[in-house]
Amino acid sequence: MTLADLRKFYRKNGKLIVTVISGALLVAAFAAGKLQYEQLSSALWILAAVIGGFGIAKSAVIQLRYKVLGIQALVTIASIGAILIGEYWEAAVVIFLFTFGGYLEALTLDRTRNALRSLMSLAPTTASVRRDGKIVTVDPQEVRPGEIVIVRPGEKLPVDGIVLKGEAQVNQASITGESVPVSKGPGEQVFSGTVNEVGFIEIETRRSGEDTTLARIISLVEEAQEQRAPTQQLIERFAKYYTPAIIVLAIGVFLLTRDPLVALTLLVISCPGALVISTPIAVVTGIGNAAGRGVLIKGGAHLERAGRINIVAMDKTGTLTKGELEVVNVRAFKGTADEAVFKAAVAEKMSEHHLGRAVLKKVPQGVALPDPEDFKVLPGRGVIARHGGRSLTVGNRRLLAETGFSLTAVAEAYVQGEEERGSTAVFLIEEGELLAVISLADTVREEAKDLISRLKQAGVKKVVMLTGDNERTARAIAGRLGIDEYRAELLPENKVEAIKELKKHGVVAMVGDGINDAPAMAAADIGIAMGAAGTDVAIETADIALMSDRLDRIAYTIGLSRKTLGIIMQNTAFSLLVVLLLVAGVLLKVVVLASGMFIHEASIFIVILNGMRLIRYGGGLSWRTDTRKDKEKGKGGTERPVQPGPA
Ligand code: ADP
Ligand code: MG
């Protein structure tokens, strides 16, 4: 072993080594005392104090340089004071307990960061790239956008990209938190860090290295864990004044009682050690737990606020429903149904809206669609386009009204019938004449059915559906899902108003799909974006981003936040109580320096363990069965990012 090795070993295990040495000296000093070797015993007590205390004093000096009066300074002052008045064993025990406590703290805090570390371990290590007709193995960081990457069965995908060739079952647990594999074929988006369980695919690289979704999730989670929660900020501001105040109090007590030991004890035990750690431990653990389930919480402030949510507003299309609309009926009022679909498709060719894309899908393969000569989107209403010199309008009733069009009784009756069935009807108008009514239907997400009861269980009082769709369709869907309240025919700006109104009655979360709900999500107390993997804007702007499309994550997230908030409250109350009791104990002389320190360290430890309960929180998600499935298949790299374990 070289000196460098030794140094490395010390850097890694320094706290443990110091704890063990001063612990051993403590035992020796105690034994020497029992055997009446008084002087040897005193020397050993002092040696233990000096060896353990050196590091503490050093960090106290460093902190003072930054004008921070921390617990290290107080422990140093108290121990020196104890030695000066001849209480050697007290000084040694206080220092030992402090060092040992610090070691345990580091150990447990490490555990809470595990979630992130396992997320990082999911990052790919090699990539097979096609270069100059050969397949070469390179570092995934070196793959450039546009290059073709080959992924064999059992391999991790090294880049974000689009499948060019082949079919595969891909396990996306690292991104979405869901370990049921999904099929990926040509044209579909795939992510770095996911695992090809079965199949052989070629991917065209879009992003690699630091730009991949996985890398960004990791850095966002890291940032989020660093961010201070409001409660923590409050406590830190409080601690800044509190510690100097304690010094003044200790001096006062000394002047009054003339008892240096009482004054020194007061110094040490009234440090707000547990108080300061009570919030961050819960926040770091909570955010880590969520990250492992494909939920990105963007910081302690959001986590705390999410714990107070009591009203949930939800978008309909693309959120409660899959957004995979299908044309179910075309009723032509002039010309044929096929002509109508063709014209509507030309008008919607540039549209990004779910409805527009569904109309495009209805055009038979092989039919060439010309570009419209002119095209305009009217959010929440439809599109206006021009083709063959004639104007084409595709949209809802509101758009008809705005363009001064009135429906015949026959058309109106037909549309109402379609809407009552839960379909969304859009009108195709050419040069002021109704050509057809196209009915589209969307499938309600499977988890939407028990969403409401799950949300209620998580403590939400009211669930409101906000939609731009028409009243009758909205009522049909809301009725089917048992939603308390719905507001229909809203334009994006009306959704913002609805959110503002709801905010008068509670803490409001807005859940949207990120396509046109961004303003409403921003107006809400908490904006939750669904299916954020792949849509950068959603990941960046939402307060909470769900990487998957699964609605059950919403109730889980609210439940987790509530539990986190609860633990923050418990921890804070407990820490304050302990300090108060200790101060009283010291003044009543039932607590001495060593026992005070013991209780102080124990309270820190209890607070940490309480926070770590969040590691196991599952919020009713069926992750247990997921894990078992992975194990059975025996596939590497599919383990859940968060492993349950004893706290
Ligand atoms: P939601 O709030 O349910 O997600 P939107 O606000 O996106 O719905 O759209 C509201 C309504 O506007 C749709 O139900 C439809 O009637 C009409 N609409 C919006 N965009 C289009 C489009 N591209 N083509 C036809 N109709 C559209
Ligand atoms: Mg929508």
Side-chain angles (χ1 to χ4, degrees), residues 38-69:
E38 292 301 338
Q39 268 162 4
L40 176 66
S41 172
S42 298
L44 286 173
W45 287 125
I46 293 173
L47 190 63
V50 170
I51 287 181
F54 181 73
I56 302 171
K58 205 168 107 187
S59 41
V61 170
I62 292 170
Q63 285 188 347
L64 280 175
R65 235 182 266 153
Y66 291 99
K67 299 207 167 37
V68 176
L69 190 63

Side-chain angles (χ1 to χ4, degrees), residues 315-319 353-354 466 495 512-517:
D315 169 52
K316 179 178 76 74
T317 318
T319 303
H353 200 276
H354 306 290
L466 303 180
K495 287 191 182 178
D513 60 5
I515 292 182
N516 54 13
D517 299 318

Side-chain angles (χ1 to χ4, degrees), residues 11 18 120 122 150 173 231 258 281-282 310 320 325 404 475 511 561 564 601:
R11 210 174 304 138
V18 172
M120 285 185 200
L122 293 170
I150 288 146
T231 311
R258 298 276 154 194
I281 182 73
N310 43 32
L320 285 169
L325 284 125
R475 192 193 308 140
V511 188
S561 306
T564 309
E601 288 300 326

Side-chain angles (χ1 to χ4, degrees), residues 266-415:
L266 201 62
L267 262 191
V268 171
I269 55 91
S270 41
C271 283
L275 197 59
V276 167
I277 202 162
S278 57
T279 304
I281 182 73
V283 167
V284 168
T285 317
I287 290 177
N289 180 320
R293 289 178 166 81
V295 179
L296 197 63
I297 301 176
K298 304 284 274 296
H302 305 299
L303 188 62
E304 274 195 21
R305 220 172 319 128
R308 297 197 173 89
I309 292 172
N310 43 32
I311 300 174
V312 175
M314 305 196 72
D315 169 52
K316 179 178 76 74
T317 318
T319 303
L320 285 169
T321 67
K322 287 188 180 157
E324 290 162 6
L325 284 125
E326 237 181 316
V327 174
V328 287
N329 262 326
V330 181
R331 163 85 178 259
F333 287 89
K334 183 171 182 260
T336 68
D338 288 346
E339 276 165 22
V341 168
F342 179 81
K343 285 178 180 166
V346 173
E348 297 272 19
K349 191 172 175 190
M350 311 296 184
S351 166
E352 305 229 302
H353 200 276
H354 306 290
L355 286 172
R357 276 179 287 172
V359 171
L360 283 172
K361 263 194 277 172
K362 189 70 180 169
V363 178
Q365 285 214 325
V367 175
L369 267 191
D371 283 348
E373 286 130 40
D374 193 21
F375 169 78
K376 200 164 98 195
V377 176
L378 297 146
R381 278 162 282 192
V383 297
I384 297 185
R386 186 165 276 282
H387 169 61
R390 297 167 75 85
S391 82
L392 284 173
T393 303
V394 186
N396 55 15
R397 231 187 233 99
R398 185 191 289 260
L399 187 55
L400 296 197
E402 281 173 17
T403 51
F405 187 92
S406 50
L407 280 176
T408 61
V410 182
E412 181 62 52
Y414 171 74
V415 169

